């Protein structure tokens, strides 16, 4: 996203958890999200969201904001027109070098 912001000058990013399907509970109390997501709005490019399973596989999909809203029940960009939310912007793939990997023990 940093590269996109430098290139286009303005990018809005909202991140959050997804609890559908319901995740596991740690110690019976803390709900662990099944997915994580990053919604991106670039006025020059449009809007879309990355959705990834909350695991160590590194898989993800890029979806329209309207799909994200349906999946997680939250609208990260309530002021955007529905027409913008319905079209999936062509977001760049995540940079694997920027993904934090736990240190080997």
């Amino acid at each position: 996203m940093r590269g996109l912001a430098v290139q286009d000058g303005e990018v809005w990013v909202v991140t959050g958890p997804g609890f559908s399907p319901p995740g596991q509970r740690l110690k019976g109390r803390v709900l662990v999200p099944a997915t994580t997501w990053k919604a991106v709005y670039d006025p020059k490019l449009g809007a879309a969201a990355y959705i990834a399973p909350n695991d160590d596989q590194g898989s993800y999909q890029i979806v329209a904001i309207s799909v994200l809203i349906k999946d997680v029940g939250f609208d990260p960009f309530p002021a955007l027109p529905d027409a913008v939310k319905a079209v999936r912007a062509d977001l760049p793939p995540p940079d694997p070098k920027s993904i934090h990997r736990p240190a080997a023990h």
Side-chain angles (χ1 to χ4, degrees):
M1 291 303 94
R2 181 173 294 142
L4 194 59
V6 168
Q7 173 186 312
D8 289 351
E10 179 180 15
V11 175
W12 296 81
V13 179
V14 180
T15 61
F19 293 99
S20 180
Q24 299 177 358
R25 289 192 180 268
L26 294 177
K27 298 183 181 183
R29 297 177 22 184
V30 179
L31 189 59
V32 177
T35 60
T36 58
W37 53 268
K38 179 179 298 230
V40 178
Y41 172 61
D42 178 333
K44 294 181 180 177
L45 187 63
Y50 301 94
I51 300 178
N54 190 11
D55 60 26
D56 62 357
Q57 300 302 306
S59 63
Y60 68 94
Q61 59 180 336
I62 301 174
V63 301
I65 298 299
S66 60
V67 173
L68 175 71
I69 293 167
K70 183 178 175 188
D71 286 356
V72 302
F74 176 77
D75 185 347
F77 304 120
L80 284 182
D82 289 342
V84 174
K85 294 177 192 178
V87 177
R88 181 186 77 123
D90 189 21
L91 295 179
D95 179 359
K97 294 179 287 185
S98 70
I99 298 172
H100 173 71
R101 301 267 187 229
H105 293 267

